[in-house]
Amino acid sequence: MQKFTLEILFQIIGIGSASGLILNNDSLFIISDNSTFLYEYAMGNQSINKIKLLDNSQENMPKKQKLDFESITQKGNKLYIFGSGSKPKREQQIIYNLKNQKAEEKDLTLFYQKLKSIGGISDKDMNIEGAVFYKDNLVLFQRGNGEGAKNGIFVYDTKKETSRYIALPLPKLKTVEATFTDAVLVDDAIYFLASAEDSKSTYKDGEILGSVIGSINTKTWSVDFTTQITETKKFEGITLFKKSKTQIEFLLCEDNDTEELQSNIYKLVIEK
């Protein structure tokens, strides 16, 4: 087990159902699974800038209507936001350019169909919850919380335009296997979050049984370690905060599965 400390760092009022975050300089960019805004939280003066990702961007969208933005990652000056793919309307990608502050929408329906075919994943079990760029690869994290229990990663070679699926079983928390909720690249390792939720549906929420952090070796695409960090919370977003020779600090966000416009940001410190 890795040694760790976990604490609430601050609370943001005005953002609910946080599902992913990226730290860029002093700005913390946050997505919400029931909103089509990108939120920029300036950590210095504690202000929030709401960025429209669509012409008709909305907050607190009903479950049946939401686009379910669950993953955000950065490459160069662009932020890439992915829908979960758990419903047809959730097969969208938004690319936000940090320089010109423009958002571009992309339909991922055909791409997700190919991934489902490669991974042997049914339409109702598809649930992309994390994304990481590593060298020429886009690594997408499939949360196996559906009936098929397909928990693993898609490794998409952006140059060759080829994909492969790698199943990655994770430990059980109580009686339920933990499943991926987000990931971030740190040097040549990918650190991930996974949570256990007592539900066999990608759509319906269940009792939260805790969360773990772990890492994936990018040479072997295997899990190096997992450590449980909570028994009660479902962490859905992770970004690198600081690192040194002896430890790595992450920022985490929690999806409380409510309509309350409030997000707790945690600091997790892992000893190397």
Side-chain angles (χ1 to χ4, degrees), residues 5 7 9 23 184 186 191 213 238-244 246-252 266-272:
T5 59
E7 62 179 329
L9 192 61
L23 182 64
V184 64
V186 181
Y191 287 80
I213 189 168
I238 183 169
T239 189
L240 178 65
F241 186 37
K242 299 175 184 177
K243 64 177 181 176
S244 67
T246 58
Q247 61 186 26
I248 307 174
E249 298 182 28
F250 299 98
L251 298 182
L252 312 183
Y266 294 77
K267 182 173 76 171
L268 172 67
V269 181
I270 297 287
E271 301 296 329
K272 288 184 177 178

Side-chain angles (χ1 to χ4, degrees), residues 16-19 33 66 70 205 208 233-237 253-258:
S17 298
S19 57
D33 63 15
K66 69 179 187 178
E70 292 282 2
D205 300 319
I208 297 167
K233 299 185 182 301
K234 181 173 70 172
F235 290 118
E236 290 221 354
C253 64
E254 175 189 9
D255 186 354
N256 51 21
D257 288 329
T258 71

Side-chain angles (χ1 to χ4, degrees), residues 149-178:
K150 290 279 192 173
N151 199 67
I153 56 174
F154 293 100
V155 182
Y156 173 68
D157 189 312
T158 59
K159 287 191 173 181
K160 297 179 181 178
E161 297 186 347
T162 57
S163 302
R164 55 182 169 142
Y165 174 75
I166 302 167
L168 291 175
L170 296 177
K172 289 185 177 181
L173 304 185
K174 296 183 180 178
T175 60
V176 179
E177 183 181 351

